Amino acid sequence: MGETGQEPLWRPSPERVARTGIASFIATVNARHGTALSDYRSLHRWSIEQPGTFWEEIWQLGDVIGDRRGPALVDADRMPGARFFPEATLNYAENLLRPRDPASVALIFRGEDKVERHVSFGELTELVSRLQQALRAAGVGVGDRVAATLPNLPETIAIMLATTSLGAVFSSCSPDFGERGILDRFGQIEPKVYVACDGYWYNGKRVSIGDKLRSVVPHLPTAVRTVIVPYLGNAEEVAAGLPNGASLDAFITPFAPAPLTFERLPFNHPAFILFSSGTTGVPKCIVHGAGGTLLQHIKEHRLHCDLAPGDRAFYFTTCGWMMWNWLVTGLASELTLCLFDGSPFAPTPGVLFDYAEKERFALFGTSAKYIDSLRKEGVRPGEMHDLSALKALTSTGSPLAPESFSFVYEAIKADLHLASISGGTDIISCFVLGDPTSPVYKGEIQAPGLGMAVEVWSDEGKPVTGERGELVCTRPFPCMPVMFWNDPEGAKYRAAYFERFPNVWCHGDFAEWTEHGGIIIHGRSDATLNPQGVRIGTAEIYAQAEQIPEIVEAIAIGQDWDNDVRVVLFVRLKEGVGLDADLEKRIRTQIRTGASPRHVPAKIIAVTDIPRTRSGKITELAVRDVVHGRPVKNTEALANPEALELYRDLPELGS
């Protein structure tokens, strides 16, 4: 991991570097501003020293449609409180639906081996137009919410574009979420229209969600319409059983395609609500603005991923992960988006690379866990597929293991920009990511993002190199959340990121700079679980587990395991009850159906006591430290510190 003298796994040729978007951007900045920037590092320094000018240049790079009047940045010394482009107006959807050849392919979709579709830009625009009119007729306007429980379908993107074109706010989750998981999210934001599918395919199996929707929809009383998108072919039947239900076809039938209209609004007008769980209560609702999301994604697509108009970009993601939002903004750079829904191993382990070869992906985005799974299964995609079009492979969700770096170059492609990337739901983008002009070293993320003043700090708030510390960002950036929903004074927002170090964003990742100027992420430093890159709040697990009569209370942690994180659930049972196979099965079934499959623990272990603070809160962080053999700070804050010994050196956690 960045040891002295280590040779890079890949180094771009001088010719490749000269052709990159970064090289072109540096030349533009030098010409316009009289600077003498020579490489990525000097560009990064300039981007954080001259943030207003830098973000103006990104606006121009993306040819952003809107009214860019007034200053680029006001109150740059306040975080939170800095304002980017406070007098500018734009519309997110207008930038994604910028004029292009109607016959060009905008979206490609595969649903395992069941469905294959190409959607032209003209077809997408017509569907958005009809949806825009239908939503407007349902009363959706500026600031209203449209919530969706959908697979990663072309229709999902069209519904999002229609929503944001009106100045309304879009929020989504995937259809494998349980009833409680859906309502914990959408119940808070009170959608005016709710959209769902009739079901989905996973691992070759047909999964209907009609029954689940019949339980969910009555608890969304603000929804004046419930629209069912067909995927399994029975949207009309599902819609008929729901209050104010209509199939997608019935919803848009009254409206013929017409010229689109776009509501231009302030730069930071809300476009998306994403959900990030803390350790107590329901998930936090993180509101992201149109302008900050747009500029940050343009920067990451054009510069960090080196994508150009006409390139085909793929990310393996569900609609419950911010990488879906990241991918769809690619339309603003005139990319063709390649969508996939279902299991990445169905019908065969090579299914995504079959797709990559046929559609000639320029970018293949996935999770570290997927790459690790290919390695363990002995799948060597480069030997079986023509991947000549593939320029970049990005990996996120959890840190990419050093052996997975080597595997990519040995088994997928030798001449490839491999970028491990890290950021999150909180910023709908990345803090640290790829630099296509620089070498790739095993186990390291290449660089801090342009415009992102990333540092690693000690507990005392001092910058450190070569040792672990907290990942922080010391200066404002435009994709900071606009706010948290139902947080009128901003107290939850400030507590989430700015309580640890005033006026500095503290992200909750353990990180370390390397001698190459790269970064290693050592996992989360807070109690949020992160299995397979999906952020999970422990409260969501407890809400289900504690419905089991035999469980008195529970505590869940993420255990570092096999280059990922696995969920471990400790349960305190009623007197005289033992943890047998039947009880374990019931616990897992309850969590799977009530929350989601991702919440299901890998290990369930019975304990006789759970450590608590003096104020009565259970202490996940302390248990996690004991499990990992780390010293526990602040044991004096615990009411029963002796309980920690119950979690030390457990044989069950060694396999």
Side-chain angles (χ1 to χ4, degrees):
M1 279 205 190
E3 61 266 20
T4 303
Q6 180 190 312
E7 284 298 306
L9 291 170
W10 176 80
R11 189 187 295 275
S13 67
E15 296 78 18
R16 180 164 176 161
V17 170
R19 292 194 305 268
T20 59
I22 282 177
S24 173
F25 188 71
I26 287 173
T28 299
V29 170
N30 285 340
R32 282 191 184 144
H33 303 288
T35 48
L37 307 177
S38 58
D39 58 12
Y40 182 89
R41 296 292 163 172
S42 58
L43 175 63
H44 180 263
R45 279 193 300 276
W46 176 81
S47 74
I48 58 175
E49 288 166 1
Q50 305 292 334
T53 307
F54 169 73
W55 290 107
E56 282 183 327
E57 286 294 341
I58 297 298
W59 184 300
Q60 294 194 81
L61 172 73
D63 193 21
V64 170
I65 300 166
D67 183 2
R68 186 171 60 93
R69 59 177 179 263
L73 177 58
V74 171
D75 294 330
D77 58 342
R78 293 179 58 198
M79 190 158 53
R83 291 176 297 145
F84 287 86
F85 301 99
E87 296 174 33
T89 57
L90 55 74
N91 181 277
Y92 175 82
E94 185 176 12
N95 279 276
L96 273 63
L97 291 171
R98 61 184 57 239
R100 61 200 264 197
D101 178 2
S104 66
V105 179
L107 307 174
I108 302 171
F109 172 70
R110 286 212 184 167
E112 294 189 355
D113 60 343
K114 310 296 181 190
V115 183
E116 187 174 333
R117 293 166 58 194
H118 284 61
V119 179
S120 72
F121 184 72
E123 289 168 335
L124 175 63
T125 306
E126 288 194 356
L127 178 56
V128 174
S129 168
R130 298 177 75 192
L131 282 161
Q132 180 188 70
Q133 296 172 73
L135 289 172
R136 191 186 283 126
V140 174
V142 173
D144 288 327
R145 277 78 60 208
V146 173
T149 301
L150 288 171
N152 185 12
L153 299 168
E155 287 82 359
T156 311
I157 293 178
I159 290 159
M160 179 279 292
L161 289 167
T163 299
T164 53
S165 73
L166 296 167
V169 188
F170 184 78
S171 190
S172 58
C173 71
S174 57
D176 62 350
F177 270 67
E179 174 190 339
R180 191 71 257 153
I182 295 169
L183 289 172
D184 280 351
R185 287 158 176 77
F186 298 154
Q188 295 186 72
I189 65 171
E190 300 180 310
K192 182 161 272 187
V193 170
Y194 177 57
V195 189
C197 56
D198 51 4
Y200 58 97
W201 296 96
Y202 196 83
N203 205 23
K205 294 189 177 72
R206 177 188 171 98
V207 184
S208 174
I209 67 165
D211 289 345
K212 180 161 60 184
L213 294 177
R214 281 189 283 279
S215 298
V216 166
V217 173
H219 296 286
L220 296 174
T222 56
V224 297
R225 298 300 298 273
T226 296
V227 181
I228 304 301
V229 175
Y231 190 24
L232 300 183
N234 59 342
E236 283 80 8
E237 179 190 333
V238 171
L242 298 172
N244 305 310
S247 68
L248 177 65
D249 284 349
F251 186 58
I252 64 173
T253 290
F255 306 99
L260 282 161
T261 60
F262 298 99
E263 193 76 41
R264 288 193 185 175
L265 293 155
F267 180 82
N268 241 358
H269 180 77
F272 296 112
I273 298 176
L274 276 61
F275 302 93
S276 177
S277 301
T279 55
T280 56
V282 294
K284 295 186 185 77
C285 309
I286 303 176
V287 183
H288 285 292
T293 301
L294 182 67
L295 287 191
Q296 181 77 334
H297 291 176
I298 287 170
K299 178 200 78 176
E300 293 184 352
H301 294 152
R302 298 282 192 93
L303 301 180
H304 293 282
C305 295
D306 199 34
L307 294 169
D311 280 347
R312 294 187 165 191
F314 166 78
Y315 224 100
F316 178 68
T317 178
T318 71
C319 297
W321 193 20
M322 51 103 358
M323 293 313 302
W324 179 83
N325 305 79
W326 186 93
L327 175 66
V328 299
T329 308
L331 289 172
S333 294
E334 297 182 44
L335 305 178
T336 294
L337 308 186
C338 299
L339 317 176
F340 182 90
D341 197 78
S343 166
F345 293 97
T348 68
V351 63
L352 296 186
F353 286 95
D354 296 342
Y355 189 14
E357 176 180 356
K358 183 174 181 186
E359 301 297 352
R360 299 189 62 75
F361 294 175
L363 171 75
F364 188 115
T366 187
S367 66
K369 187 66 178 173
Y370 172 75
I371 295 171
D372 193 44
S373 298
L374 291 177
R375 183 176 65 84
K376 288 176 177 168
E377 292 288 324
V379 180
R380 299 179 67 83
E383 295 173 8
M384 301 175 281
H385 297 88
D386 172 8
L387 301 176
S388 53
L390 193 62
K391 295 195 294 190
L393 189 151
T394 57
S395 166
T396 190
S398 55
L400 187 64
E403 55 267 34
S404 291
F405 274 77
S406 300
F407 169 78
V408 167
Y409 285 104
E410 290 162 8
I412 296 178
K413 191 174 182 181
D415 184 17
L416 181 73
H417 178 211
L418 170 61
S420 179
I421 66 178
S422 183
T425 300
D426 314 79
I427 65 166
I428 203 166
S429 59
C430 303
F431 278 119
V432 290
L433 68 170
D435 165 14
T437 68
S438 296
V440 172
Y441 289 93
K442 188 175 181 176
E444 299 183 23
I445 297 174
Q446 284 177 291
L450 295 170
M452 310 296 276
V454 175
E455 297 184 10
V456 177
W457 280 16
S458 68
D459 285 348
E460 294 71 41
K462 305 291 184 195
V464 293
T465 300
E467 64 178 82
R468 297 183 184 196
E470 290 281 352
L471 181 78
V472 301
C473 196
T474 61
R475 300 190 189 186
F477 48 94
C479 60
M480 292 190 293
V482 176
M483 60 180 175
F484 285 177
W485 200 256
N486 294 328
D487 182 28
E489 304 299 316
K492 291 179 190 172
Y493 182 18
R494 287 190 298 274
Y497 312 115
F498 303 104
E499 208 165 64
R500 180 85 185 272
F501 304 115
N503 218 40
V504 168
W505 179 291
C506 184
H507 194 56
D509 276 344
F510 264 132
E512 176 184 356
W513 290 115
T514 72
E515 61 177 298
H516 309 114
I519 200 162
I520 299 166
I521 303 286
H522 292 290
R524 299 295 298 166
S525 59
D526 62 17
T528 303
L529 308 179
N530 211 27
Q532 297 178 45
V534 180
R535 292 188 59 157
I536 288 173
T538 50
E540 297 185 88
I541 296 175
Y542 304 150
Q544 302 305 321
E546 290 173 9
Q547 290 182 40
I548 304 288
E550 293 90 339
I551 295 178
V552 178
E553 59 180 348
I555 187 167
I557 65 157
Q559 181 194 13
D560 297 339
W561 185 259
D562 200 13
N563 298 322
D564 194 15
V565 174
R566 66 180 182 183
V567 177
V568 179
L569 180 68
F570 298 96
V571 292
R572 185 163 72 84
L573 301 172
K574 284 185 177 174
E575 194 75 29
V577 174
L579 182 63
D580 58 14
D582 175 68
L583 181 54
E584 280 204 43
K585 183 179 179 183
R586 283 195 288 125
I587 294 169
R588 287 193 165 96
T589 300
Q590 176 69 43
I591 293 170
R592 180 180 288 106
T593 54
S596 89
R598 297 180 184 83
H599 293 72
V600 177
K603 294 276 184 177
I604 303 175
I605 299 171
V607 289
T608 55
D609 199 7
I610 288 176
R612 295 181 170 276
T613 64
R614 297 185 186 280
S615 60
K617 292 179 180 174
I618 59 175
T619 57
E620 293 103 337
L621 290 179
V623 169
R624 196 181 71 181
D625 283 340
V626 170
V627 163
H628 289 101
R630 297 194 288 261
V632 178
K633 299 174 185 176
N634 249 353
T635 53
E636 66 275 10
L638 300 181
N640 55 340
E642 67 282 357
L644 290 173
E645 290 307 309
L646 300 170
Y647 301 83
R648 197 178 303 282
D649 299 326
L650 292 175
E652 300 98 315
L653 294 183
S655 62

